[in-house]
Amino acid sequence: MTAPKLAIPSSGQLAALWERRIWKVAVFLGGAVLLGAVGGLVWALTTHLPSYVVREDLSATMSELELADIIGADASFTLITGIVGLVIGVGGWMVLHRAGWVVTIVPPAAALGASLMAWRLGTIVGSSGFTQRLAVASAGDTVQVDLQLRALSALLVGPFAAVTPIMLLAAFWPEPPNDQAEGEPAGNR
């Protein structure tokens, strides 16, 4: 039995491999941020925001149901970025699983970038200027609250969601056939 031959790549081959991996990572990160922007738009367009009603004495009140809806923006953000994180995790595995340790770092970082993008774009697109609108409101007007993320820990849902499919796929993904020793039959592993 002969020892397997180790092919040492030349510096040009290493440079080409490194550039290709960087290219994959850069495109993946850009796609994740774009997906986060879509998530931010979905968050801004679909979140129900409660409103204050200005009374005759110019005080503003809100019903208990509306008060409960204040956390609805956080809940919908968590759901949207969780789904975005899962998509990024599966996509990261498909694109980077042969890259070794890179698959454990890049998708969670990309999901964090997507969450940050969703947060910033959602707050830009969503309603803002609550204090100014409330200041000029008359009796009987309804003034909608601003879209904002009150629980900043929701930003971490995307990265945690991205890690989950990576762990599961790493555990159950079949090994590539090139891990066999030379001359060893496929059934003798």
Side-chain angles (χ1 to χ4, degrees), residues 79-97:
L79 178 67
I80 291 167
T81 56
I83 292 169
V84 167
L86 285 172
V87 169
I88 288 172
V90 171
W93 176 264
M94 295 301 175
V95 172
L96 301 170
H97 76 277

Side-chain angles (χ1 to χ4, degrees), residues 6-39:
L6 294 174
I8 299 174
S10 68
S11 62
Q13 290 172 331
L14 285 176
L17 178 66
W18 179 251
E19 288 174 9
R20 190 172 35 180
R21 184 174 294 167
I22 287 177
W23 177 249
K24 281 183 183 180
V25 168
V27 169
F28 181 74
L29 288 174
V33 170
L34 184 62
L35 190 59
V38 170

